[in-house]
Amino acid sequence: MKKTLNRTFLIIGVLLLAAPLFMGPYAQSVARSVLMYLMLAISWNMLVSSGQLSFGIAGFFGLGGYASTLAIVYLGMPPILSLVFAFILVGAAAWLLGLVALRLRGMYFAISTLALAEIFRVIIHNWHGFTGGPNGKLLPKLIFDGASVPTYLLMAVLAAGTIAFSMWFRRSKFHFAVTSIRDNEIAAMSTGINIYKTLLMVFAVTSAVQGLVGASFANMYGFVTPESSFNMNYTLLPLAMTLLGGLYTTWGPVLGAVLLGIVGEYLKLYIPYGHLIVYGIIIVLVILFMPNGIVGLSGKLLNGFEARKKGEVQL
Amino acid sequence: MSILQTKKLTIKFGGLTAVNEVDFSLESGHIVGIIGPNGAGKTTFINLIAGLHTPTSGSVFLDGEDITAMKPHKRARIGIGRTFQLIHPLENLSLVENVMNGFLFAQDFSVPKARKAAVLLCEELGLSRLERPTSQMNILEIKKMELAKALAVNPKILFLDEMMAGLNSDESLEMISLVQKVTRSKNLAVGVVEHVMGVIKQLTHSVVVLDGGEVIAQGKYEDVVKNERVQSAYLGGGA
């Protein structure tokens, strides 16, 4: 099992790295955006594994974009370093906000994350002197001077790192802690789980990943504005991708991001904004007929298959 | 020497005093029955000791240390294990993973080490097919798993809240001997809340009777059931 898994990774890794050889600049830019959404979806899925629904992805994404851009503009920070800076800054911000927000649960937590994202946007929109207000800020130059292949490779490496992190997460103590918290908090604490601390750590790290993605995005396109950097799409698309692919797994969001990313790109060409309608329809259909997403469905089929092979009947 | 002590432990919910100045103690190797009519405050009392409620006044001591203000997850780590009246299986974890939690978090084992320890503990309690989801387990197995989850925190004291509810008489007998076995082998101090008097009679060394949040009697089961206040609490007031 482990061997086949390792082999799968090796193949996927090689394909990812070799991809620019076969793709033109347009295909590379689509692939970059898929990788970006993939990271957002994986990080969101890690927090949702604890039962906490965050609608703040766009907020941390935008905050990361601004952190990186402003660090480059005002401090002359090298772009790569500014990505690290955005990761740390957004993680720290999420930790501090989580101290308060994670005292809430369910709908109340979800709404507070939505409000946080909006508060970031409003502050940045109105802080003309520092953030450029509604006009945003331009970066002096793109990362790697806009060269397509290195930019793609950077995203591939970051995405691979995020996938590896999520795989580790799902085998570590965190898997047991977050799943128990999702199932029953009282039972969880009675086995010694520190719920507040666990949620804080997961919230901070996953938000930091979202900040890192936002920073990469800003460095790829060379600008930030309140409207584009805090766009609600960055919250809703990763959510749709995770639902389609399968909640609570590493490969669900990966699959969802690849499928919806490519389908969305294709649809954009023919019906501008129509892809959003398709996303909406997909979410509804998945929730109604396939609540565990593609990965859940294939797992079920596989289990049934193996059980039949072994001659066991599953009840 | 008692390992757990409560001193004048009291909790009020608005105008209702659910537990009123309860002095209680548990000794290692002993099983104490906590009985009383519905609404007597038995589960609330256990929740106070497990840290799910903060008492209005009074204190809880474990091994002489005041733990009144300690958080529930820390109490699990210092050796307070419990089961729940309303069973709480973690349905997105398998049987063995449910049991691993205590080893992972209360005893700070690594994942592989916790898995080994959980497998051993499950076998000790007679649980098999450990990779099953909890939805495929029967009620006796669930109850045993709940016991295993509580034992996995390596408890010094163990509270069993209505362990026998939903079990038939054979299954109850099996649970009784299991609880007696682990109490002896792990030298636990055990508190048992139970409605079935036969179970209390067989299982416990002594009993405490709560009514309206107050201790109205304690001592040996045979003596306590003869107590007039106990009889009137169970059979109705004014007797």
Side-chain angles (χ1 to χ4, degrees):
Chain A
M1 183 66 187
K2 209 169 182 182
K3 221 174 187 178
T4 42
L5 265 183
N6 282 339
R7 214 171 291 158
T8 326
F9 289 131
L10 204 66
I11 294 168
I12 293 177
V14 169
L15 281 178
L16 263 178
L17 292 179
L21 295 174
F22 314 110
M23 296 192 292
Y26 170 67
Q28 278 178 40
S29 95
V30 173
R32 280 198 317 245
S33 117
V34 166
L35 292 173
M36 208 180 76
Y37 279 115
L38 180 156
M39 285 188 265
L40 295 179
I42 286 182
S43 64
W44 181 78
N45 195 23
M46 283 159 86
L47 183 66
V48 94
S49 297
S50 72
Q52 312 311 313
L53 205 58
S54 162
F55 288 120
I57 306 176
F60 295 114
F61 178 93
L63 197 63
Y66 268 92
S68 156
T69 305
L70 296 177
I72 294 171
V73 169
Y74 290 116
L75 306 173
M77 206 180 262
I80 292 281
L81 195 61
S82 83
L83 299 186
V84 179
F85 172 72
F87 181 85
I88 294 170
L89 186 106
V90 173
W95 178 281
L96 290 175
L97 295 166
L99 286 174
V100 183
L102 286 168
R103 297 194 178 275
L104 306 172
R105 286 294 182 274
M107 193 168 67
Y108 304 99
F109 174 76
I111 291 172
S112 76
T113 55
L114 189 64
L116 281 176
E118 192 59 13
I119 290 168
F120 295 155
R121 192 186 65 80
V122 169
I123 290 175
I124 283 170
H125 188 99
N126 289 292
W127 198 349
H128 295 257
F130 185 53
T131 64
N135 296 326
K137 275 266 187 250
L138 277 176
L139 277 169
K141 63 188 181 81
L142 299 180
I143 196 165
F144 303 121
D145 293 319
S148 186
V149 173
T151 315
Y152 167 83
L153 288 179
L154 174 71
M155 292 311 283
V157 168
L158 291 180
T162 309
I163 292 174
F165 176 56
S166 169
M167 295 188 58
W168 169 82
F169 178 84
R170 299 203 180 277
R171 288 168 184 212
S172 71
K173 281 189 180 190
F174 277 100
H175 163 71
F176 291 86
V178 295
T179 310
S180 305
I181 294 169
R182 180 171 98 234
D183 277 347
N184 191 311
E185 291 200 13
I186 289 178
M189 65 175 98
S190 77
T191 59
I193 295 170
N194 187 339
I195 294 177
Y196 189 49
K197 200 174 130 199
T198 306
L199 291 181
L200 254 184
M201 286 201 277
V202 177
F203 185 58
V205 173
T206 57
S207 303
V209 170
Q210 290 153 16
L212 175 69
V213 179
S216 320
F217 185 79
N219 274 284
M220 273 193 281
Y221 293 95
F223 71 95
V224 282
T225 68
E227 301 315 319
S228 69
S229 302
F230 291 95
N231 197 301
M232 207 47 201
N233 275 346
Y234 300 122
T235 295
L236 295 178
L237 298 195
L239 224 132
M241 289 162 174
T242 310
L243 285 174
L244 173 67
L247 283 167
Y248 317 134
T249 62
T250 296
W251 296 106
V254 173
L255 208 61
V258 171
L259 285 175
L260 279 194
I262 292 170
V263 169
E265 198 63 34
Y266 187 75
L267 285 171
K268 252 186 225 170
L269 300 175
Y270 295 94
I271 22 171
Y273 292 101
H275 63 293
L276 294 177
I277 301 173
V278 176
Y279 286 165
I281 293 170
I282 287 175
I283 293 185
V284 172
L285 291 180
V286 166
I287 290 175
L288 281 178
F289 300 111
M290 218 166 60
N292 295 318
I294 296 172
V295 169
L297 194 70
S298 62
K300 218 185 229 169
L301 293 176
L302 268 178
N303 277 341
F305 186 65
E306 275 176 19
R308 220 171 302 153
K309 251 193 339 199
K310 281 190 213 153
E312 283 174 21
V313 181
Q314 289 235 319
L315 293 176
Chain B
M1 170 64 200
S2 55
I3 184 155
L4 178 88
Q5 266 188 316
T6 68
K7 287 191 180 151
K8 293 194 181 291
L9 198 60
T10 304
I11 187 166
K12 293 179 184 172
F13 297 113
L16 175 81
T17 307
V19 172
N20 196 8
E21 304 206 334
V22 170
D23 292 315
F24 175 85
S25 65
L26 276 181
E27 279 170 49
S28 300
H30 278 252
I31 303 177
V32 176
I34 302 165
I35 60 173
N38 287 328
K42 305 179 295 281
T43 297
T44 309
F45 179 69
I46 293 183
N47 284 343
L48 279 169
I49 292 171
L52 295 184
H53 300 312
T54 311
T56 315
S57 62
S59 25
V60 183
F61 295 88
L62 183 78
D63 258 343
E65 186 198 351
D66 188 341
I67 60 163
T68 313
M70 195 180 268
K71 292 257 188 295
H73 69 269
K74 286 215 173 124
R75 297 193 198 205
R77 290 174 190 190
I78 61 163
I80 298 181
R82 69 166 301 184
T83 69
F84 292 90
Q85 181 177 6
L86 301 169
I87 48 172
H88 287 316
L90 302 168
E91 46 205 48
N92 286 298
L93 294 177
S94 70
L95 198 180
V96 67
E97 287 173 336
N98 261 273
V99 180
M100 281 167 72
N101 264 352
F103 291 109
L104 286 171
F105 300 103
Q107 302 200 57
D108 214 20
F109 283 17
S110 69
V111 174
K113 208 177 151 202
R115 184 174 287 276
K116 269 184 206 143
V119 168
L120 279 180
L121 179 58
C122 286
E123 283 168 356
E124 195 185 326
L125 299 183
L127 285 163
S128 59
R129 293 194 289 143
L130 303 180
E131 299 299 333
R132 266 181 297 169
T134 56
S135 57
Q136 291 179 16
M137 295 165 65
N138 65 36
I139 184 75
L140 178 64
E141 290 173 317
I142 297 260
K143 296 273 179 176
K144 281 186 182 175
M145 180 183 78
E146 294 294 303
L147 179 62
K149 276 161 74 177
L151 290 174
V153 308
N154 192 21
K156 296 174 189 157
I157 58 174
L158 179 64
F159 280 98
L160 306 175
D161 198 351
E162 305 242 2
M163 273 303 272
M164 313 300 167
L167 300 183
N168 67 32
S169 53
D170 285 349
E171 291 168 341
S172 284
L173 285 178
E174 191 182 338
M175 278 307 289
I176 287 172
S177 69
L178 208 51
V179 171
Q180 285 170 332
K181 195 177 102 186
V182 296
T183 304
R184 264 197 308 273
S185 68
K186 298 177 201 298
N187 196 29
L188 300 173
V190 183
V192 182
V193 168
E194 201 56 60
H195 272 300
V196 186
M197 286 304 140
V199 172
I200 292 290
K201 191 179 172 187
Q202 259 186 299
L203 186 57
T204 62
H205 297 98
S206 64
V207 293
V208 171
V209 188
L210 289 177
D211 186 31
E214 289 179 41
V215 177
I216 58 168
Q218 52 187 324
K220 291 241 172 275
Y221 174 82
E222 292 77 14
D223 304 333
V224 164
V225 286
K226 288 181 200 137
N227 183 308
E228 264 179 37
R229 281 187 75 187
V230 175
Q231 290 183 351
S232 77
Y234 269 92
L235 300 174

